[in-house]
Amino acid sequence: MLTRIKPLRNISSQSVAKSLSLRYASKDASTAKTVQQISGYEHLPNNSTVFSMIQPTGKFHIGNYLGAIKAWRTLSESNVEECKFIFGVADLHAITIPKKSTELKANRLEAMASILSSGIDPKKCILFYQSAVPEHAELHWYLTCITSMGALNRMTQWKSKQQEVESTSSKKFLFEHTKAGLFCYPVLQAADVLMYNSTHVPVGDDQSQHLELCRAIATSFNDVYDTKFFNIPKTLLTPSQKILSLRNPTKKMSKSDKDQKACVYVTDSPEEIQTKIRKAVTDSQQGPIYFDPVERPGVSNLINIISGISNKPVDEVVKDLEGVTEHSVLKNRVADLLIEEFSKERDLYEKLMGDAAYLEQVYNQGRDQAREIASANIKQIRKLIGMD
């Protein structure tokens, strides 16, 4: 049922910005309850709506797999009553850095095939392309109009971009040459989540700040329009730690790395996986293997990979490695686990990439399901705003 609109009281851009800023800055107990560190997801309530998206960067590497896709599979396979699982390819986010149309199209298809080959069942979830649901862009604008620039300027990833540019150039250069989409995309992320009135969002720790902003925006909208329309979504922190480059374990694993031995793809052959892991940077320390991301980043990165693949806590992995003193033994364990984990995915990915008709059927079905929910919600949102 649509929430009845009550008269708005003295709404101004200053009051909206103040409301958002105060709520974003808040670190009270109620905010803390919105973040859950869950390993098995068995505590997901009935009738939840779980939402998550991943950017189409082409074939997935193990960081993508452990940071997102494996959690999606675990969630969608849980027997939670009347729970909706909505997963998407965030192709609108992908153009914050413009790409050639042929590259973007190929990346979108590869992402869809990678998701399906990783065990995501389209019968158990809604799987779609973000750009196929135009309501995302519409809600993005409504939410942008109640979001302060100060809140966006505090985003850690934006501040990192500022520091990166300012170390080599001036602040004027930053604002002249950085596109507005890169600054505003956290609001689009909020629109993605709120479009489906999501209750839970599985993310890695590096995205938790964006979910804090999403909650602040949802709360601000509810306050401004005197409604309780938007749920305040909870963060489900995925158990896997951030996976780092095999060749430079001080930075995140990335497909764009010039050294392709730094990145292991889900579709790599056993021989490729063995070669890349064998050449992974560790250190010169001899003796027992232990976890220390500061002093031993390379070794710790390999331990994190074992932890993510085997679903074991880091301390348990370290205990299993008791007695191991040679890096080669550690690397062999990592390679064997990865080869076994991705054997089915690799074969299925190749089959899917050769079956364009099936891929089209999956994403068209997901588009229709997503639009049915989004169009109903946007009608209510328009009425709340006065756009009906």
Side-chain angles (χ1 to χ4, degrees):
M1 181 179 292
L2 180 64
T3 306
R4 184 170 64 87
I5 307 171
K6 298 178 181 178
L8 305 183
R9 301 178 300 276
N10 301 321
I11 297 177
S12 67
S13 58
Q14 290 86 355
S15 64
V16 171
K18 184 178 180 182
S19 170
L20 182 63
S21 178
L22 287 172
R23 291 188 181 279
Y24 178 69
S26 173
K27 295 293 180 184
D28 60 18
S30 62
T31 300
K33 289 178 182 177
T34 61
V35 181
Q36 301 175 20
Q37 180 70 56
I38 300 176
S39 57
Y41 305 106
E42 64 274 11
H43 303 298
L44 201 63
N46 292 341
N47 300 303
S48 298
T49 298
V50 179
F51 177 89
S52 187
M53 300 189 95
I54 191 167
Q55 284 205 40
T57 56
K59 294 179 287 188
F60 291 163
H61 56 62
I62 55 177
N64 304 138
Y65 176 76
L66 293 176
I69 305 303
K70 191 174 183 184
W72 293 8
R73 189 176 66 207
T74 302
L75 285 162
S76 60
E77 289 177 350
S78 62
N79 296 315
V80 183
E81 187 178 335
E82 297 299 321
C83 194
K84 289 191 188 77
F85 299 102
I86 305 173
F87 304 132
V89 175
D91 47 1
L92 292 178
H93 288 286
I95 61 172
T96 52
I97 299 174
K99 297 175 177 62
K100 291 181 179 179
S101 59
T102 51
E103 180 186 355
L104 179 60
K105 187 173 182 178
N107 284 351
R108 291 167 80 240
L109 283 172
E110 288 178 351
M112 187 64 70
S114 294
I115 291 169
L116 292 169
S117 66
S118 297
I120 303 298
D121 186 347
K123 295 177 182 177
K124 296 180 179 179
C125 66
I126 296 172
L127 184 58
F128 70 108
Y129 288 126
Q130 177 191 26
S131 62
V133 182
E135 288 82 1
H136 283 248
E138 182 178 350
L139 182 56
H140 174 216
W141 177 247
Y142 297 152
L143 300 183
T144 297
C145 292
I146 63 167
T147 303
S148 73
M149 292 179 65
L152 293 175
N153 198 47
R154 286 191 290 273
M155 292 290 99
T156 302
Q157 291 183 9
W158 172 251
K159 289 169 77 172
S160 298
K161 178 70 176 177
Q162 282 181 301
Q163 292 168 359
E164 178 186 326
V165 172
E166 287 172 3
S167 65
T168 57
S169 191
S170 66
K171 185 171 286 189
K172 180 181 178 181
F173 180 89
L174 172 74
F175 286 100
E176 288 291 334
H177 295 273
T178 304
K179 307 306 180 188
L182 200 60
F183 182 68
C184 296
Y185 87 92
V187 186
L188 179 57
Q189 284 187 316
D192 297 334
V193 172
L194 299 177
M195 187 75 262
Y196 304 94
N197 233 331
S198 310
T199 59
H200 296 79
V201 184
V203 295
D205 188 55
D206 60 339
Q207 288 292 318
S208 59
Q209 188 194 33
H210 288 174
L211 262 295
E212 288 286 353
L213 177 64
C214 176
R215 284 189 283 272
I217 292 173
T219 303
S220 183
F221 182 96
N222 287 348
D223 284 353
V224 168
Y225 294 105
D226 204 3
T227 180
K228 295 182 179 179
F229 180 78
F230 283 130
N231 291 320
I232 308 302
K234 295 183 178 181
T235 300
L236 294 176
L237 284 177
T238 55
S240 176
Q241 296 297 310
K242 181 167 64 177
I243 304 302
L244 305 173
S245 163
L246 295 177
R247 303 294 290 164
N248 181 4
T250 62
K251 65 179 186 179
K252 195 173 179 179
M253 182 175 286
S254 172
K255 178 186 176 182
S256 61
D257 198 311
K258 292 180 180 178
D259 186 349
Q260 284 299 292
K261 290 186 175 63
C263 188
V264 173
Y265 295 99
V266 174
T267 54
D268 278 347
S269 68
E271 294 74 23
E272 288 172 321
I273 291 173
Q274 286 175 332
T275 299
K276 290 177 179 180
I277 297 299
R278 193 181 306 124
K279 292 183 178 295
V281 170
T282 49
D283 53 47
S284 58
Q285 289 194 39
Q286 304 297 315
I289 300 294
Y290 60 90
F291 186 79
D292 187 335
V294 177
E295 296 296 327
R296 309 193 73 180
V299 167
S300 299
N301 191 36
L302 295 178
I303 291 173
N304 270 332
I305 293 172
I306 295 176
S307 172
I309 295 293
S310 63
N311 296 318
K312 291 182 178 180
V314 164
D315 55 354
E316 192 174 327
V317 172
V318 172
K319 189 175 180 180
D320 290 343
L321 291 169
E322 201 171 307
V324 174
T325 58
E326 296 179 8
H327 293 162
S328 59
V329 176
L330 171 64
K331 290 179 178 182
N332 285 339
R333 289 202 186 181
V334 174
D336 289 345
L337 273 174
L338 291 174
I339 290 168
E340 183 179 356
E341 179 80 5
F342 299 138
S343 59
K344 293 180 181 177
E345 279 87 345
R346 186 168 48 250
D347 294 339
L348 182 54
Y349 174 84
E350 296 300 333
K351 290 178 181 177
L352 288 167
M353 286 300 291
D355 193 347
Y358 176 72
L359 289 177
E360 185 175 0
Q361 177 188 334
V362 168
Y363 60 69
N364 283 344
Q365 174 184 294
R367 173 202 62 200
D368 294 344
Q369 292 173 319
R371 284 214 71 182
E372 183 178 356
I373 300 170
S375 61
N377 284 344
I378 204 71
K379 283 179 184 177
Q380 297 191 61
I381 292 165
R382 287 175 191 151
K383 190 166 185 178
L384 287 166
I385 293 172
M387 290 286 186
D388 58 315

